[in-house]
Amino acid sequence: MSLSDLRTLGRTGVRISPFVLGTMNFGARGNTSHEESVALIHRALDAGINTIDTADTYSRGESEIIVGKALAGRRDQVILASKFHNSVDDDPSHRGNSRRWIVRAVEDSLRRLGTDHLDLYQVHRPESITAIDETVGALDDLVRAGKIRYYGTSVFSPAELVEVQWSADRRRWHRAVSEQVPYSLLVRGIERETLPIARKYGLGVLTYGPLAAGWLSGKYRIGADQPASHRADLIPGRFDIDAPANAAKLAAADALARLAEESGLSLIELAIGFAGSHPDVSGIIIGPRTGEHLDTYLRAADVVLESEVLDRIDEIVPPGTYFHERDTGKIPDALADPALRRSA
């Protein structure tokens, strides 16, 4: 993998860099300095990254504002992606996948980003109370209006991915072109069905969390003190090494760290090399908060793993494995809501 080796996003013909700059860590939830964040974006672009992924919910729109500042005068150099669905303020009506909210949300994102169109607009999460036809129809209208060039989904189940395709086909609407999902050495669940479905329908796949939210930073080792996580408050229990559900994950992270050492690599380099080795992955979303973080990612960009190393990885974490339901990106409503499992 090399930043100069552009990949195609599904069957769109759009060529994206193998690293996609994720911006969740710009703003109140991460780096609060707009100047530092803008400089970091410029460094990423200068290094060869041509694709940026943001969302309206990241720091309640602040991330999009920062990206807009960074792209002033450089917009045409960038494949720009954003997302809608999650809350952007305290008004409960300002969220979701309805046509009413989508047409408002896209205008707000365009204003914050300082652009007249998005290259990719993604449904941040599925929503069981909204019909797929409602969402797909609104997105098709945005394509036809020139507000967005393409649309995609994020953390949709295999069945939901197929339903989105069928909805578009039935009504001769534009199809979704991409899916965004977590994928790493410790989160391999998408290998079961999501990636085969993406291949079948020609979807581009953008993966995030190559370091498994820090579990593959090299700091999680058996017998070591648990490191502090800046995201522990966002995902309660996910980082508690004393929790039984995380014991197997810790053992796997430790074994992978030893494999990296044997291979002459850092665990971060092993993790990035793995995420980029799957032929169905179009781009890996990286989320640096500092220049040091970005440098670490960039050093790993040229790592290519030999077949023997990939085989060893499969022995430690078999294909299709994930250790914690929360690692999949979204607990299905049918599992999270007791009312959907019990009669009145």
Side-chain angles (χ1 to χ4, degrees), residues 257-268:
R258 286 185 274 113
L259 173 60
E261 292 166 0
E262 294 169 9
S263 305
L265 301 169
S266 69
L267 181 53
I268 291 175

Side-chain angles (χ1 to χ4, degrees), residues 72-288:
R74 303 186 69 166
R75 173 66 183 90
D76 290 342
Q77 302 173 21
V78 173
I79 312 297
L80 180 59
S82 193
K83 299 183 284 293
F84 69 89
H85 166 82
N86 290 314
S87 297
V88 296
D89 54 35
D90 295 328
D91 188 330
S93 69
H94 292 171
R95 62 162 298 155
N97 298 347
S98 69
R99 174 182 290 272
R100 177 183 180 275
W101 176 240
I102 291 170
V103 297
R104 160 77 181 273
V106 73
E107 295 294 347
D108 289 346
S109 287
L110 292 174
R111 172 178 47 79
R112 286 188 290 260
L113 289 162
T115 186
D116 63 356
H117 74 280
L118 292 168
D119 296 296
L120 180 65
Y121 200 34
Q122 301 156 102
V123 193
H124 210 156
R125 292 294 186 271
E127 184 174 60
S128 58
I129 64 172
T130 304
I132 290 287
D133 282 355
E134 166 92 357
T135 304
V136 174
L139 291 168
D140 177 75
D141 284 346
L142 293 182
V143 174
R144 296 177 189 277
K147 301 287 185 180
I148 64 176
R149 299 296 184 254
Y150 305 97
Y151 71 91
T153 55
S154 178
V155 196
F156 272 45
S157 71
E160 288 164 336
L161 289 176
V162 173
E163 187 177 0
V164 168
Q165 296 293 311
W166 285 0
S167 174
D169 285 351
R170 281 198 312 270
R171 301 177 183 275
R172 296 185 178 179
W173 289 335
H174 290 87
R175 283 183 167 191
V177 304
S178 65
E179 164 70 350
Q180 185 176 137
V181 279
Y183 184 55
S184 72
L185 288 163
L186 296 176
V187 186
R188 302 184 60 176
I190 63 171
E191 294 171 338
R192 292 177 177 271
E193 293 183 275
T194 298
L195 291 181
I197 285 174
R199 189 181 313 124
K200 179 180 178 65
Y201 287 99
L203 295 173
V205 178
L206 302 176
T207 67
Y208 66 87
L211 304 186
W215 278 89
L216 297 171
S217 65
K219 298 179 181 179
Y220 284 83
R221 301 296 298 269
I222 293 175
D225 293 335
Q226 178 176 351
S229 172
H230 75 285
R231 299 191 66 195
D233 59 328
L234 298 177
I235 313 174
R238 188 178 181 187
F239 301 94
D240 183 3
I241 60 175
D242 294 322
N246 289 328
K249 186 193 291 187
L250 178 61
D254 188 80
L256 290 166
R258 286 185 274 113
L259 173 60
E261 292 166 0
E262 294 169 9
S263 305
L265 301 169
S266 69
L267 181 53
I268 291 175
E269 289 173 330
L270 183 75
I272 296 296
F274 171 80
S277 67
H278 201 292
D280 293 328
V281 171
S282 306
I284 305 165
I285 298 173
I286 59 171

